[in-house]
């Protein structure tokens, strides 16, 4: 069977060494030494000013919205994972969907301004499949209307924009280190900001608001992560260059094999280096998409309709239909892509798409 993704598994002995050390220290969680080490190494690797390691990418979004004190309406994309929208609703705000660019699949900046009302306080945009949004256009709009910008950069480990980690953009960027992501810590996530005060507040928020024993600095939640998760991250980080290079080779092979196929791939944002996190293909119609999916599944190959459905169809949000997002959601499949996926398997997958 070829699944859409498989988690990267480091050599077991390497993880076990960390487990042995954890047993000796008897220090399991609460900002322990491995969490510190992982944060320091990730900050170095990504070359970012600040990073707070969290329990997952959803709590990262929730803390970001809370820390920026967003209220009322938040402009967002309907073409993302459900956590982008559900976090807005969870924080008591209202998502206002703006349609996507049909080539990059990211929120279309040209449509943002007409969606701004007196109640708008922020923009929460996803860098879809690791491909950066039009960051400059979005920032210019935010500056003009005094709005905060959060990027859901859950897919973006390794992506750069203008030679810097894409995590450095927006008031806050969030990411996920879930097992299905390119770099993972089983469960995990992070927030990034260049604003020291904001970073301080988020560091309090992830730990119940504690500012020392018996002292609290504002309301908080439990967003911490454990030594066991950090250990997985430390193991995986030693393989990250190999994982990124492999991902790129695999995507270029898909591109080559599909060059005459009647499909479309995504357009990568200018001035960026993509991390090749996913391999989405867009077909001419939903009928063709479902047919390809069925044929592949008969051979135990499992591409995923990702993202499907468009989030404007969620029953707990009120929204009109968002046309381009809905149309793309109906015609897109992400092809299998993971570190151990072999060349022959890729050829096998493509055969059914072109024939
Ligand atoms: C994975 C993902 C999330 C959620 O991250 P978790 O770590 O699973 O909570 C949020 N947004 C997007 C776009 C994602 O792909």
């Amino acid at each position: 069977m070829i699944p859409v993704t498989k988690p990267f598994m480091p050599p077991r002995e390497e993880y076990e060494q960390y487990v042995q050390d954890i047993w000796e220290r008897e220090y399991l969680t609460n900002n322990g030494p491995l969490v510190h080490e992982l944060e320091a190494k990730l900050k170095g690797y990504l070359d970012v000013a600040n990073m707070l390691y969290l329990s997952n990418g959803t709590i990262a979004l929730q803390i970001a919205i809370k820390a920026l004190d967003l209220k009322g309406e938040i402009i967002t994309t309907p073409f993302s994972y459900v956590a982008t929208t559900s976090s807005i609703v969870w924080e008591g705000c209202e998502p206002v969907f703006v349609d996507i660019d049909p080539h990059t699949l990211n929120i279309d900046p040209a449509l943002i301004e007409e969606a701004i009302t007196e109640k708008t306080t922020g923009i929460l945009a996803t860098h879809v499949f690791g491909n950066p949004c039009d960051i400059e256009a979005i920032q210019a709009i935010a500056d003009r209307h005094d709005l905060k910008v959060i990027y859901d950069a859950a897919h973006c480990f390794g992506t750069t924009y203008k030679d810097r980690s894409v995590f450095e953009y927006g008031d806050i960027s969030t990411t996920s280190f879930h097992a299905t992501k390119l770099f993972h810590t089983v469960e995990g996530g992070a927030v990034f900001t260049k604003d020291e005060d904001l970073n301080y507040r988020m560091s309090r928020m992830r730990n119940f608001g504690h500012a020392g024993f018996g002292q609290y600095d504002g309301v908080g939640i439990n967003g911490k992560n454990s030594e066991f998760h950090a250990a997985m991250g430390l193991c995986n980080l030693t393989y990250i260059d190999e994982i990124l290079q492999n991902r790129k080779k695999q995507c270029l092979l898909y591109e080559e094999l599909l060059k005459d196929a009647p499909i479309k791939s995504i357009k990568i944002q200018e001035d960026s280096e993509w991390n090749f996190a996913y391999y989405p293909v867009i077909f001419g119609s939903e009928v063709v998409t479902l047919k390809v999916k069925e044929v592949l599944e008969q051979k135990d190959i499992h591409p995923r309709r990702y993202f499907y459905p468009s989030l404007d169809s969620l029953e707990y949000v009120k929204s009109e239909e968002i046309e381009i997002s809905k149309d793309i959601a109906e015609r897109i499949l992400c092809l299998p892509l993971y570190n151990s996926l072999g060349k022959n398997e890729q050829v096998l997958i493509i055969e059914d798409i072109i024939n």
Side-chain angles (χ1 to χ4, degrees):
M1 119 124 160
I2 305 179
V4 67
T5 186
K6 274 189 197 180
F8 177 78
M9 300 301 282
R12 190 164 154 177
E13 320 76 73
E14 293 177 17
Y15 188 73
E16 281 167 354
Q17 183 58 54
Y18 281 108
V19 170
Q20 174 110 25
D21 298 345
I22 292 172
W23 243 258
E24 278 162 24
R25 277 193 296 272
E26 299 183 344
Y27 195 140
L28 306 185
T29 187
N30 285 358
N31 219 358
L34 297 180
V35 164
H36 271 281
E37 188 181 335
L38 180 65
E39 281 186 343
K41 286 195 169 150
L42 284 173
K43 273 194 270 186
Y45 181 81
L46 297 165
D47 194 19
V48 292
N50 294 300
M51 183 200 108
L52 297 168
Y53 181 47
L54 302 173
S55 48
N56 59 67
T58 305
I59 215 80
L61 285 166
Q62 289 169 206
I63 287 179
I65 295 168
K66 189 77 94 192
L68 290 168
D69 199 24
L70 300 189
K71 303 268 188 274
E73 296 174 2
I74 299 178
I75 289 176
T76 191
T77 172
F79 194 73
S80 184
Y81 184 58
V82 69
T84 316
T85 292
S86 66
S87 299
I88 294 173
V89 176
W90 193 267
E91 290 305 319
C93 299
E94 196 184 323
V96 173
F97 294 116
V98 163
D99 213 342
I100 57 171
D101 176 290
H103 309 290
T104 64
L105 311 190
N106 288 323
I107 195 166
D108 185 347
L111 304 175
I112 291 178
E113 248 165 342
E114 63 199 57
I116 295 174
T117 72
E118 276 166 16
K119 290 194 238 156
T120 310
T121 56
I123 299 170
L124 170 45
T126 302
H127 301 304
V128 174
F129 301 132
N131 179 28
C133 293
D134 188 343
I135 289 173
E136 260 159 41
I138 292 172
Q139 194 57 55
I141 295 163
D143 291 344
R144 257 198 310 277
H145 297 271
D146 198 18
L147 303 176
K148 301 292 185 191
V149 179
I150 301 172
Y151 285 112
D152 181 343
H155 300 169
C156 290
F157 198 93
T159 291
T160 61
Y161 178 72
K162 302 213 157 157
D163 296 323
R164 285 164 52 202
S165 168
V166 80
F167 297 143
E168 289 272 269
Y169 295 89
D171 291 284
I172 301 175
S173 271
T174 69
T175 199
S176 165
F177 303 134
H178 183 258
T180 55
K181 309 299 203 251
L182 193 148
F183 169 78
H184 80 88
T185 70
V186 186
E187 291 276 358
V191 282
F192 303 82
T193 182
K194 286 184 286 180
D195 180 328
E196 297 298 331
D197 176 56
L198 202 49
N199 191 59
Y200 171 83
R201 271 188 289 133
M202 291 196 290
S203 74
R204 292 291 180 249
M205 282 181 171
R206 81 168 156 180
N207 188 26
F208 306 100
H210 269 297
F213 185 74
Q215 286 180 311
Y216 298 94
D217 192 355
V219 67
I221 195 166
N222 183 357
K224 293 178 276 102
N225 214 333
S226 82
E227 293 291 282
F228 289 87
H229 292 85
M232 188 61 135
L234 287 165
C235 290
N236 290 345
L237 192 57
T238 60
Y239 295 94
I240 190 64
D241 289 331
E242 182 186 320
I243 294 170
L244 285 164
Q245 276 166 24
N246 210 9
R247 204 56 75 107
K248 179 171 181 178
K249 261 193 267 168
Q250 291 166 328
C251 285
L252 295 180
L253 178 61
Y254 269 142
E255 195 178 301
E256 170 64 22
L257 293 167
L258 284 167
K259 68 178 186 309
D260 299 321
I263 55 114
K264 263 183 49 188
S265 319
I266 57 170
K267 175 169 166 258
I268 301 303
Q269 173 67 32
E270 270 172 50
D271 292 327
S272 66
E273 289 275 343
W274 185 35
N275 63 356
F276 298 91
Y278 297 83
Y279 202 84
V281 290
I282 304 164
F283 297 90
S285 71
E286 186 173 29
V287 173
V288 172
T289 310
L290 294 177
K291 181 80 195 145
V292 169
K293 183 165 174 280
E294 189 190 314
V295 170
L296 287 172
E297 278 170 355
Q298 276 162 10
K299 296 212 312 200
D300 217 8
I301 298 167
H302 301 271
R304 171 112 11 119
R305 298 189 87 184
Y306 196 50
F307 302 104
Y308 179 87
S310 180
L311 298 172
D312 50 281
S313 67
L314 284 171
E315 45 83 13
Y316 55 78
V317 297
K318 56 174 199 298
S319 173
E320 49 189 52
E321 211 169 83
I322 308 294
E323 252 172 74
I324 298 173
S325 176
K326 177 173 188 285
D327 174 50
I328 297 283
E330 286 168 351
R331 298 191 284 124
I332 194 166
L333 291 179
C334 278
L335 300 186
L337 195 59
Y338 45 89
N339 196 58
S340 57
L341 180 72
K343 220 172 163 168
N344 295 343
E345 292 169 310
Q346 286 192 266
V347 171
L348 192 73
I349 294 163
I350 297 308
E351 266 173 10
D352 283 310
I353 295 184
I354 19 193
N355 296 320

